Amino acid sequence: MITSAVRTLATELTGEGLPAYVYDLAALRAHARAVRDALPPGLELYYAAKANPAPAVLQALAPHVTGYEVASGGEAEHVRAAVPGAPLAFGGPGKTEGELRRALALGVERFHVESEQELRQLAGAAQDAGIDTVDVLLRVNLPLNGERTDAEGLRSEGLLGERADGSGLLGERVGGEGLRSTAPGAPASGGTTPGGAVSGGTTPGGAVSGGTTPGGAVSGGAAPHGALLGGAALAMGGGPSPFGLDPEAVERCLAQLTQPAPGNPLRLRGIHAHLASGLDAPAQVAVAAAIVDWARKLSERHGLGITEVNVGGGMGVDYARPDRRFDWAAYGRGIADLALRHPGLTLRIEPGRALTVYCGWYVTEVLDIKHSGGEAFAVVRGGTHHLRTPATKRHDQPFQVLPTDAVWTRPWTRPAVRDEPVTLVGQLCTPKDVLASRVPVAELRVGDRVAFAMAGAYAWNISHHDFLMHPKPGFHYLEASPT
């Protein structure tokens, strides 16, 4: 699980140098290159900077991505400074007029418009700035009704069909049975520990995996939108949502977008839809096909000449089984077939987590070990105020124990656990500061290092850093693995 470069640094860091985030940029580049190679050449690959906006990460991805998706004015300025000249797409709800004006001044290449008011505000800001042309994609919240996202199920259940009035129906059922009950690539059944985490054992080298499915959906549990998106880790659309425009609102926007220039600086390039996160490759391809089909029919119905469709990101990441990754090869083949059916249409995706999550580790050390009520607890330096991911997604963060060679010099017996489940907690004064719950370990001692894997996305940047005023972690960006 852990790369040699990360392991070497993790064992060299002293106690005061911990905790620390360690990013293997060589591994990140190799992964991004493999993803790019698996995709058809004409597909545009944008990185969702919200996943990890560290400049070193953005720059490492630059040779392998077409551009970057940003979701605030701050992100737009940050990414523009980190990777000058890279194309930007500005998405997200609630864009302020100030953000829109700043994005226009920065030369943002695409705006994903989320509402009718935002469309009017963008037009006004462009006119005030004397900008003749602003390229726009309308973000659409297509309705999802049901439970399946496997490709055959989507077709058989009507996902690729449309309503009789032509307004577009994205499907009868979304969220295939396997997706609803387990993480992508996981078996359909699995046991749970008393605390509700899916049980998981150690892997060779001490790596462990366990916990709930992505997004915290325990086997057989309900998804955020119930049956609408099945086991998707996060539902962004498909039902009532603050994100995007319902199809009838899209129709109203077209009246403004099709006004002749010079009164209208906005140019409709296409459609954007990001409906869910945590879907596997067949589901992602099927949903993409439905989005493209809906966009094509909208374009034909109104004579729009749409040239771009952004089908979003949300490629499944399985924290419970880190070795089971999204099948980019299968996804690439499916998208290539989709592109062949729609010549002249530029397809675009915007993954975030699935690109960077595997390059980062949160490395810390065990401060204390104790038993309470017959259960073992290991208190580590730091906690969820540094790595909020397991608290947010309600899973066990996968980790690997790195035993220290330091001689124990204290006059008391070194606290340790052996061959039993242990709950790893941080230093915060809250019972929610849990990084992994009741995970079996062969041995764990005070002073040992613990490297939490899959900390390269939605980790430090989403955490409540200042709670209790503990020291910030260190940050290390490894350029090359040792030979």
Side-chain angles (χ1 to χ4, degrees):
M1 179 193 300
I2 193 169
T3 67
S4 59
V6 174
R7 176 188 287 273
T8 298
L9 180 61
T11 56
E12 292 174 351
L13 290 172
T14 64
E16 294 307 312
L18 297 169
Y21 273 95
V22 184
Y23 301 95
D24 191 330
L25 298 184
L28 173 60
R29 292 188 185 97
H31 176 58
R33 186 183 308 113
V35 170
R36 178 66 268 183
D37 290 346
L39 301 173
L43 179 73
E44 293 190 352
L45 171 62
Y46 275 54
Y47 169 62
K50 64 178 72 66
N52 186 335
V57 169
L58 298 174
Q59 293 158 7
L61 289 172
H64 311 291
V65 300
T66 312
Y68 299 82
E69 184 267 341
V70 297
S72 72
E75 278 194 351
E77 295 200 26
H78 174 81
V79 177
R80 185 64 93 201
V83 279
L88 302 183
F90 187 11
K95 302 180 187 72
T96 68
E97 289 190 60
E99 286 181 311
L100 293 173
R101 294 179 191 279
R102 183 57 183 150
L104 289 169
L106 288 170
V108 167
E109 285 76 10
R110 295 290 184 274
F111 288 81
H112 298 164
V113 173
E114 301 256 354
S115 74
E116 296 169 73
Q117 173 173 279
E118 184 183 311
L119 190 69
R120 297 185 181 98
Q121 289 176 323
L122 180 59
Q127 290 169 340
D128 291 346
I131 297 175
D132 294 330
T133 305
V134 178
D135 289 319
V136 167
L137 278 72
L138 296 178
R139 179 173 180 177
V140 185
N141 176 27
L142 298 178
L144 300 176
N145 304 308
E147 298 181 352
R148 292 185 64 184
T149 47
D150 58 284
E152 182 177 351
L154 291 171
R155 292 190 182 92
S156 66
E157 299 293 344
L159 179 64
L160 303 183
E162 66 173 352
R163 289 195 179 104
D165 64 1
S167 61
L169 173 65
L170 188 61
E172 292 290 330
R173 306 179 66 191
V174 175
E177 198 63 34
L179 287 172
R180 182 170 59 174
S181 59
T182 63
S189 61
T192 59
T193 65
V198 177
S199 58
T202 59
T203 60
V208 303
S209 61
T212 62
T213 62
V218 183
S219 178
H225 279 224
L228 292 178
L229 289 171
L234 190 66
M236 307 291 289
S241 172
F243 304 109
L245 295 142
D246 287 355
E248 55 269 23
V250 171
E251 299 282 344
R252 292 193 296 269
C253 287
L254 295 180
Q256 179 175 344
L257 285 167
T258 55
Q259 289 178 0
N264 175 28
L266 305 183
R267 176 169 58 183
L268 179 62
R269 284 287 195 173
I271 294 297
H272 172 264
H274 176 53
L275 301 175
S277 294
L279 301 178
D280 65 6
Q284 284 281 5
V285 171
V287 172
I291 294 167
V292 172
D293 186 65
W294 185 91
R296 176 184 60 81
K297 291 175 180 177
L298 176 76
S299 182
E300 291 175 351
R301 194 161 62 247
H302 293 279
L304 301 175
I306 283 175
T307 59
E308 301 175 10
V309 177
N310 184 328
V311 298
M315 290 68 186
V317 168
D318 190 347
Y319 287 87
R321 295 168 179 82
D323 57 328
R324 299 191 182 187
R325 300 193 181 186
F326 185 80
D327 192 343
W328 286 103
Y331 180 75
R333 290 191 296 271
I335 293 296
D337 290 341
L338 179 61
L340 287 175
R341 298 199 299 272
H342 298 275
L345 189 64
T346 297
L347 301 182
R348 186 177 300 129
I349 61 174
E350 49 185 38
R353 190 190 309 268
L355 283 182
T356 62
V357 68
Y358 302 103
C359 81
W361 283 261
Y362 177 65
V363 181
T364 185
E365 69 171 339
V366 180
L367 296 176
D368 199 1
I369 291 178
K370 54 188 176 181
H371 286 78
S372 175
E375 295 190 18
F377 292 84
V379 182
V380 302
R381 196 184 289 262
T384 58
H385 57 304
H386 293 166
L387 178 63
R388 188 167 174 77
T389 321
T392 300
K393 294 179 69 64
R394 294 175 296 172
H395 65 229
D396 296 332
Q397 194 73 18
F399 64 88
Q400 185 164 344
V401 176
L402 304 176
T404 180
D405 295 330
V407 177
W408 182 256
T409 59
R410 304 288 188 177
W412 57 84
T413 302
R414 186 179 195 173
V417 292
R418 293 177 178 85
D419 297 321
E420 66 176 301
V422 61
T423 294
L424 280 76
V425 302
Q427 296 174 280
L428 301 184
C429 302
T430 168
K432 295 182 179 180
D433 188 20
V434 178
L435 296 161
S437 180
R438 300 181 178 94
V439 179
V441 296
E443 181 179 61
L444 185 64
R445 307 166 300 168
V446 167
D448 284 342
R449 303 288 190 265
V450 178
F452 288 95
M454 301 178 75
Y458 298 105
W460 168 253
N461 60 316
I462 68 166
S463 302
H464 48 303
H465 311 150
D466 293 328
F467 184 49
L468 295 192
M469 300 184 182
H470 284 292
K472 301 291 193 295
F475 291 86
H476 305 271
Y477 300 90
L478 308 182
E479 289 292 341
S481 298
T483 56

